[in-house]
Amino acid sequence: MQLPAGKALTVRAAADAFLDSLRNPNTVRSYSTGVGKTAERIGEGRPLGSVADDDIGEALELLWGTAAVNTGNARRASVLSWLGWCAEYGYDGPAVPAWTKRLAVPDSETPARSKTAGDRLIARREVHLREKTLWRMLYETCAPAEEILGVNIEDLDLTARRCPVKAKGARSKARRRGQAREDFVLETVYWDAGTARLLPRLLKGRTRSPVFVTHRRPGPGKVVSPRDVCPDTGLARLSYGQARALLDEHTAVRGPGTGWDLHEYRHSGLTELGVQGASLLMLMAKSRHKKPENVRRYFKPSPEAISELTSLLAPGRQQPLTSRCPEAQSPGPSDSACRGGKTGLRRIRLVLL
């Protein structure tokens, strides 16, 4: 986009130029809301140089002052990036005022279900094999539901118990618009014996199409991508909304909408790994988080786990922790000998963070 010279740049022109400069379509979609609505609020036809810092702060406060913390922070970040881009290219304009601060992200309220509760749900006779496989796979991979629902059979490596997925905000291989799925850097998720036992029964010899499909064909008026339809049966990929409704149907005890959420399996899996002694670095590798504080929000040990940890402070326990398991004093493969101990050092390492 050709920008006007000098100080004649309008708010709308500056916003359009900034959005056109972005290469990642995910970033464009995210930033369009924050930048677009802010531009409308302060006046699209105004010269950018005439906008004061407080005008930006008031617009952010009026638009997203009562929104969720993550939403408000994301919109503030998009406007901050926009105005920083304008300043970098030499255009006079405002800045996000200091009083419009980034809010601290609260701890996640998503509960972590116990392993026993998850096993009990999957063991119920009335639960369909498709749901059992999906829930077990979500728990063992600790992956977001959107990623697992987007997997196709041809992506699966059943022998190695892994498959590539397109992660949220996946980095593109090439800087161009209209990327296909293959144009993104894919990440790998791993599962274990529970999922490995269920997957072959679910696939029933199918070698292509989505892993998780609906039980009915889509209506004639619904447009579905070829990758999201089984060419042999005509069944479409199971959507996030359908999967969420199925889980709620089997777990709600106080009416529709009160049951479990699909994202709870990610929290539950990571919490169980942490209680069993997985290190912070291993949890970050499993969850594919880039920041330790994000992993910490997922780790929610049960009261029983905290009580077990507290028992180490009981009177009479004068031995150091490592004396309980002599193998823990020497690094190497022998460290695995402590994993089965109820109060082993590795089991509580993450709890102490």
Side-chain angles (χ1 to χ4, degrees):
M1 179 178 179
Q2 185 65 36
L3 297 178
K7 298 182 180 181
L9 188 66
T10 64
V11 170
R12 183 73 265 174
D16 290 342
F18 168 69
L19 295 174
D20 288 342
S21 70
L22 302 175
R23 302 305 181 194
N24 191 317
N26 294 326
T27 306
V28 174
R29 283 193 296 270
S30 175
Y31 279 21
S32 293
T33 302
V35 174
K37 289 191 174 182
T38 302
E40 292 177 4
R41 185 73 193 182
I42 62 179
E44 296 179 328
R46 294 177 59 183
L48 184 64
S50 67
V51 180
D53 294 358
D54 286 343
D55 293 339
I56 298 294
E58 291 172 2
L60 292 173
E61 185 65 26
L62 289 172
L63 290 169
W64 299 289
T66 58
V69 172
N70 287 331
T71 301
N73 287 340
R75 302 298 178 247
R76 177 185 178 276
S78 64
V79 174
L80 191 66
S81 181
W82 167 41
L83 298 178
W85 180 88
C86 293
E88 180 182 349
Y89 279 84
Y91 291 96
D92 294 335
V96 175
W99 55 267
T100 308
K101 297 181 179 180
R102 186 181 186 278
L103 300 178
V105 179
D107 288 340
S108 173
E109 297 180 356
T110 303
R113 306 293 177 177
S114 68
K115 188 175 184 296
T116 302
D119 292 343
R120 189 163 51 240
L121 175 62
I122 291 177
R124 287 164 56 176
R125 290 180 176 272
E126 69 273 17
V127 177
H128 192 273
L129 176 62
R130 178 189 61 187
E131 283 77 80
K132 291 184 178 183
T133 309
L134 174 61
W135 300 340
R136 178 63 69 184
M137 197 170 185
L138 289 175
Y139 182 75
E140 293 186 355
T141 60
C142 299
E146 297 90 339
E147 296 179 4
I148 300 303
L149 291 171
V151 172
N152 273 23
I153 298 175
E154 51 268 31
D155 301 328
L156 300 175
D157 186 342
L158 296 177
T159 303
R161 298 177 178 178
R162 66 186 64 174
C163 72
V165 296
K166 177 186 173 184
K168 179 181 178 181
R171 180 168 53 89
S172 58
K173 291 182 179 178
R175 289 184 172 273
R176 61 179 184 273
R177 298 198 175 194
Q179 289 100 330
R181 181 176 184 271
E182 293 75 12
D183 292 322
F184 288 91
V185 177
L186 302 180
E187 299 178 358
T188 304
V189 296
Y190 303 82
W191 60 85
D192 203 70
T195 303
R197 285 194 293 265
L198 294 171
L199 271 176
R201 295 169 53 194
L202 177 68
L203 300 182
K204 293 181 179 178
R206 290 190 294 140
T207 58
R208 55 180 181 171
S209 76
V211 174
F212 301 100
V213 295
T214 58
H215 292 160
R216 292 183 296 179
R217 297 182 179 182
K222 187 173 182 180
V223 179
V224 184
S225 169
R227 189 178 184 277
D228 296 331
V229 179
C230 176
D232 301 323
T233 63
L235 300 178
R237 185 185 307 277
L238 187 70
S239 69
Y240 183 90
Q242 291 169 327
R244 179 175 55 187
L246 289 168
L247 178 59
D248 182 74
E249 176 185 340
H250 289 288
T251 57
V253 294
R254 295 187 300 274
T258 63
W260 297 9
D261 187 80
L262 292 170
H263 199 57
E264 294 178 18
Y265 280 104
R266 182 164 163 87
H267 284 254
S268 303
L270 292 173
T271 295
E272 180 64 22
L273 290 175
V275 171
Q276 293 299 328
S279 68
L280 178 60
L281 291 177
M282 289 303 296
L283 284 180
M284 291 178 65
K286 178 67 174 176
S287 65
R288 291 168 284 131
H289 282 110
K290 301 299 186 292
K291 297 180 179 180
E293 57 266 27
N294 292 338
V295 181
R296 177 62 187 86
R297 294 176 59 211
Y298 279 77
F299 182 64
K300 297 180 178 180
S302 65
E304 291 75 18
I306 298 297
S307 296
E308 183 178 327
L309 174 66
T310 307
S311 68
L312 298 177
L313 305 176
R317 291 181 179 265
Q318 299 179 359
Q319 294 180 337
L321 289 174
T322 53
S323 66
R324 300 170 183 270
C325 183
E327 293 85 350
Q329 299 178 12
S330 58
S334 61
D335 184 53
S336 61
C338 302
R339 292 180 183 174
K342 215 174 180 186
T343 55
L345 178 61
R346 296 197 67 209
R347 180 163 181 170
I348 63 169
R349 183 180 300 158
L350 186 68
V351 183
L352 295 173
L353 291 178

